[in-house]
Amino acid sequence: MKKLLFLILFILICAGVTAAQTGVKKKRPLPQEYGRVILNNFSEKAGLPPVVFDHWLHRSRFTCRLCHVDIAFAMKADATNIRAADNAKGYYCGTCHNGKMIYKEKKVFESCSTKPSADLKRCERCHSLGKNVKREYDFVEFTGRFPKERFGNGVNWEKAEEDGYVLLTDYLEGVSIKRPALAVKKDFALAPKVEGMPEIIFSHKKHTVWNGCETCHPEIFIGVKKGTTKYSMIEIFDGKYCGVCHGKVAFPLLDCQRCHSKPVQ
Amino acid sequence: MRKLKILAAVLTAASLFVFFTPHFRQGLPTPGIAHAQAQDDWRSEFEALCARTQDSAGLPVEELKSLVERCDKLKPRIEKLEESQRKVYLKRLQMCRDLYAFVLESREKNATPAP
């Protein structure tokens, strides 16, 4: 009787341990899938699969500012409400994907067409969720020589730019506005809430070069005076503040030392 | 006969002069030209306004106030554009306006912007 009771108890404990390991764990995306954006405002309603947008490919060629300010893409998936008609008129994806623009001696394919005779194969280049579509650029091949990083898509983009592997375009004729050169912003330190944690060195320079000012202020960081916007790692992991980009498209929050980088005194 | 020729030449020269005078042309706009001018008007105002975002942190308070006011004034004109153009340019204008208002608030509190 005792043996049976012990066996039942043992099975229950094993089952409990197994259950605790599954179901709630979030699967880490593969490097080529990190930052992938799925757009489905209107696709399925129009009888097409949702759009699979490879953020890594676009970020290897253009600054964040160009797309999120000059072309007006929102910072959240599906928040832009892009319609095929917008693209066909030369806005959003259609700003570049218009069948006319030449990039590195190659014509950029046309994104959407309102013509009923539109080539479905072309539609599938973007509307590809759940389809076995061969991508024009292979992630592993494309980023093979780029400096490596531990997390995210495994690429240190900052270093890749420094080393000349990527050259980011920040101006599009007819779309961007000619502006005076950006004043170099100083990097600064932010104190962490947890005692003993290294201070955060915020690279204002790098962020302004890639993002401009209006990508972050005031939509993401509304505090006026340095230190007045109080935020925690919980909020950041929840997709607020730094978490708007980091953990989604920019290097993930698991890479603590990338931000908490000032040596503890 | 000679006098008539001179009169005709003078009248032709005068009418050509009057026709090519800007005031005269403004009085007789063709619909296409007027539309194109209206298009260019909002666009050039938009570009002038949003061209200052990069150096907004160094602008004086009065200029920032003026930029915010001009953004608010331009908004109704952009709202009248066709759907796609309206979506894109309203968002772009809003971002510029919000940044100027943010810097203005920062300046008035005599503090530096937080990240």
Side-chain angles (χ1 to χ4, degrees):
Chain A
M1 188 63 188
K2 254 187 181 179
K3 269 184 185 174
L4 189 69
L5 206 66
F6 182 75
L7 188 71
I8 290 168
L9 201 66
F10 180 73
I11 290 168
L12 281 175
I13 289 168
C14 286
V17 169
T18 312
Q21 300 300 312
T22 59
V24 288
K25 253 190 174 175
K26 206 175 166 187
K27 191 187 153 209
R28 262 197 227 169
L30 295 168
Q32 66 269 27
E33 289 170 1
Y34 185 79
R36 184 171 279 180
V37 180
I38 307 297
L39 301 167
N40 192 20
N41 286 118
F42 308 107
S43 303
E44 284 183 316
K45 287 174 203 158
L48 288 164
V51 169
V52 177
F53 174 78
D54 281 329
H55 194 272
W56 67 264
L57 180 64
H58 292 79
R59 65 107 67 234
S60 74
R61 295 174 166 180
F62 307 99
T63 60
C64 316
R65 201 202 62 78
L66 184 74
C67 300
H68 292 287
V69 175
D70 291 353
I71 303 178
F73 282 116
M75 298 292 279
K76 272 186 188 168
D78 278 346
T80 316
N81 285 320
I82 310 160
R83 291 174 179 271
D86 300 329
N87 292 334
K89 284 181 212 163
Y91 297 100
Y92 301 120
C93 316
T95 308
C96 301
H97 287 277
N98 54 17
K100 292 173 199 156
M101 183 184 267
I102 306 289
Y103 187 85
K104 291 195 174 172
E105 294 165 14
K106 260 179 124 177
K107 202 180 267 186
V108 181
F109 71 89
E110 195 180 351
S111 52
C112 290
S113 174
T114 47
K115 292 172 202 157
S117 59
D119 174 13
L120 269 175
K121 273 209 162 175
R122 184 161 54 81
C123 303
E124 284 178 357
R125 292 185 73 158
C126 304
H127 291 274
S128 60
L129 189 70
K131 296 211 161 201
N132 190 17
V133 177
K134 193 179 177 337
R135 297 265 159 190
E136 190 176 350
Y137 295 94
D138 177 68
F139 175 81
V140 177
E141 198 183 310
F142 191 91
T143 61
R145 292 172 61 210
F146 290 8
K148 298 287 175 266
E149 195 42 82
R150 290 179 300 172
F151 300 107
N153 52 25
V155 175
N156 185 330
W157 292 99
E158 198 175 339
K159 198 160 187 318
E161 193 190 16
E162 275 171 26
D163 295 351
Y165 288 105
V166 295
L167 182 66
L168 304 179
T169 303
D170 190 45
Y171 182 87
L172 272 185
E173 194 62 48
V175 176
S176 306
I177 301 167
K178 284 197 172 76
R179 304 158 205 249
L182 186 71
V184 176
K185 297 284 171 194
K186 282 180 188 167
D187 295 353
F188 55 83
L190 293 163
K193 284 182 175 169
V194 180
E195 204 181 322
M197 275 297 276
E199 282 193 355
I200 301 135
I201 301 291
F202 175 76
S203 175
H204 208 176
K205 184 186 165 190
K206 178 51 68 185
H207 283 81
T208 46
V209 166
W210 280 356
N211 297 302
C213 309
E214 61 269 57
T215 309
C216 304
H217 297 294
E219 199 179 330
I220 301 171
F221 292 98
I222 50 167
V224 171
K225 195 177 172 186
K226 185 185 154 193
T228 51
T229 310
K230 300 282 182 194
Y231 42 92
S232 65
M233 282 309 298
I234 294 169
E235 287 171 300
I236 295 172
F237 270 105
D238 206 24
K240 292 173 189 159
Y241 306 109
C242 318
V244 170
C245 301
H246 290 283
K248 288 178 186 158
V249 291
F251 68 79
L253 303 160
L254 299 166
D255 211 349
C256 313
Q257 296 106 308
R258 291 283 297 267
C259 301
H260 291 272
S261 53
K262 191 175 176 185
V264 179
Q265 300 297 309
Chain B
M1 189 63 189
R2 197 167 167 248
K3 274 184 184 172
L4 203 66
K5 273 185 182 172
I6 292 168
L7 188 69
V10 168
L11 281 174
T12 311
S15 58
L16 281 171
F17 176 76
V18 169
F19 182 75
F20 285 106
T21 301
H23 295 294
F24 183 79
R25 292 187 66 187
Q26 275 173 15
L28 290 170
T30 58
I33 292 171
H35 180 71
Q37 277 175 348
Q39 278 272 348
D40 288 349
D41 279 355
W42 77 260
R43 180 78 203 221
S44 52
E45 174 66 352
F46 167 79
E47 290 190 2
L49 283 172
C50 290
R52 308 307 306 272
T53 53
Q54 302 277 73
D55 59 344
S56 57
L59 295 176
V61 169
E62 284 313 308
E63 197 168 346
L64 287 164
K65 278 182 184 167
S66 158
L67 285 165
V68 172
E69 278 169 22
R70 281 167 64 192
C71 284
D72 291 338
K73 217 171 153 189
L74 182 62
K75 195 178 170 186
R77 287 166 69 189
I78 292 182
E79 277 167 347
K80 285 179 190 154
L81 299 173
E82 66 85 27
E83 195 188 350
S84 304
Q85 210 171 24
R86 182 173 68 233
K87 268 202 294 184
V88 169
Y89 284 95
L90 271 183
K91 166 132 175 105
R92 290 181 69 178
L93 183 74
Q94 193 64 44
M95 288 178 97
C96 300
R97 191 230 178 258
D98 290 351
L99 179 71
Y100 296 138
F102 169 80
V103 178
L104 184 64
E105 199 187 333
S106 140
R107 192 65 55 72
E108 284 176 340
K109 287 185 179 175
N110 197 21
T112 50

